[in-house]
Amino acid sequence: MPTLTRNLLNDPELKEFGFRVDKVDPQCVLSLPGYPGFGRQSKDLSRYANHGTISGATWVRQPTGIQVLSFDGTDDSVDFGTPATLRPTNTAFSFELWLKHTGVAGTERQPLRNGVNWGAFKGMLLYIPSVSQVMAFNLGDGAANTGLACNAAMTPNWEHWAFTWDLSNMRAYRNGDIQADTPAFAGPIIYDGTVNFLWGGPTGNSFLGLMAQARFYSVALSQKVIKSHYQQEKNLLD
């Protein structure tokens, strides 16, 4: 398990809103609850303190009180830097997030971009092509890119997405149901150390829509666990 960078058990902002960092899954290395908004910072509730800096994206309150981030599809992002806990190489991982996709115009949109240098076959990329609008996920090992595409275009509704790698297979899930289970990827994942981990994507490929409840894990979650998260959270968003 990675070394803890800072313990947030006594963080006054988190105590004010009743969050318990000690209740977050210890295998979760990034937990962004979507409630409440913390200004220009997206606060990580995991014990690893992987806080992000918000650029352009704005907080939007949902009817349930949950705060979500709105991305304009131009240059909005949340930047988490290059922490080792968010850059698995030879270890399994999962990440999950809620997305409300509102369109792709002219180019692909990238909800997640992590250490990507595609010309050098490096990094982790989640993207929505402009033509198909079918979610795709790629990993690079420095020699080739390996990717999977899901089985249907995204809808304009809130959708729960999860992606896993268990040191063998890459898998994608939408609303708890498996969307893709190939191809195999042996790893390791190689990153460009000069390119940060971004939710929302870079200028020119920024996600267009709303994003909430994002988490990153140092383990490949099972479908049963992923589906339970979807069921627990589906009524939090409009």
Side-chain angles (χ1 to χ4, degrees):
M1 182 176 292
T3 302
L4 305 186
T5 56
R6 187 165 74 90
N7 193 306
L8 296 181
L9 292 175
N10 297 314
D11 189 303
E13 280 185 322
L14 301 186
K15 280 188 170 183
E16 177 184 353
F17 292 101
F19 290 124
R20 291 287 304 277
V21 179
D22 56 332
K23 297 299 183 182
V24 175
D25 185 334
Q27 294 176 309
C28 183
V29 297
L30 177 68
S31 177
L32 308 176
Y35 180 80
F38 290 105
R40 293 292 89 195
Q41 188 177 62
S42 186
K43 185 153 286 189
D44 174 22
L45 296 194
S46 85
R47 60 192 67 195
Y48 301 96
N50 289 316
H51 309 312
T53 300
I54 300 169
S55 176
T58 56
W59 293 104
V60 177
R61 184 182 177 89
Q62 301 295 284
T64 59
I66 289 289
Q67 296 274 358
V68 304
L69 279 172
S70 175
F71 296 82
D72 68 0
T74 301
D75 57 2
D76 292 355
S77 66
V78 184
D79 189 333
F80 295 91
T82 60
T85 49
L86 300 180
R87 295 216 157 158
T89 55
N90 279 312
T91 56
F93 73 87
S94 307
F95 66 88
E96 55 184 352
L97 68 167
W98 284 88
L99 296 174
K100 190 172 186 179
H101 165 65
T102 56
V104 175
T107 187
E108 69 185 28
R109 302 301 177 186
Q110 300 177 2
L112 181 148
R113 183 180 177 92
N114 187 3
V116 170
N117 181 334
W118 233 222
F121 309 110
K122 293 180 179 181
M124 176 188 300
L125 181 66
L126 181 65
Y127 65 99
I128 308 164
S130 59
V131 177
S132 68
Q133 300 200 32
V134 172
M135 184 75 84
F137 181 52
N138 280 54
L139 297 174
D141 64 6
N145 299 322
T146 301
L148 58 80
C150 297
N151 59 18
M154 295 187 70
T155 74
N157 305 314
W158 278 108
E159 296 181 341
H160 178 266
W161 285 91
F163 300 85
T164 69
W165 179 51
D166 62 5
L167 303 185
S168 177
N169 281 14
M170 299 163 61
R171 296 183 175 89
Y173 303 84
R174 172 161 44 182
N175 296 339
D177 297 324
I178 195 158
Q179 297 288 294
D181 191 17
T182 54
F185 176 72
I189 309 169
I190 304 298
Y191 302 88
D192 185 326
T194 68
V195 181
N196 290 2
F197 181 115
L198 300 176
W199 289 120
T203 297
N205 296 107
S206 178
F207 177 67
L208 180 60
L210 304 176
M211 184 183 300
Q213 303 291 107
R215 291 182 291 270
F216 202 104
Y217 296 86
S218 59
V219 64
L221 298 176
S222 68
Q223 183 176 12
K224 180 178 180 181
V225 170
I226 290 167
K227 185 163 283 190
S228 74
H229 292 172
Y230 164 68
Q231 294 292 342
Q232 291 165 15
E233 297 173 355
K234 65 181 182 180
N235 294 323
L236 295 176
L237 303 163
D238 63 0

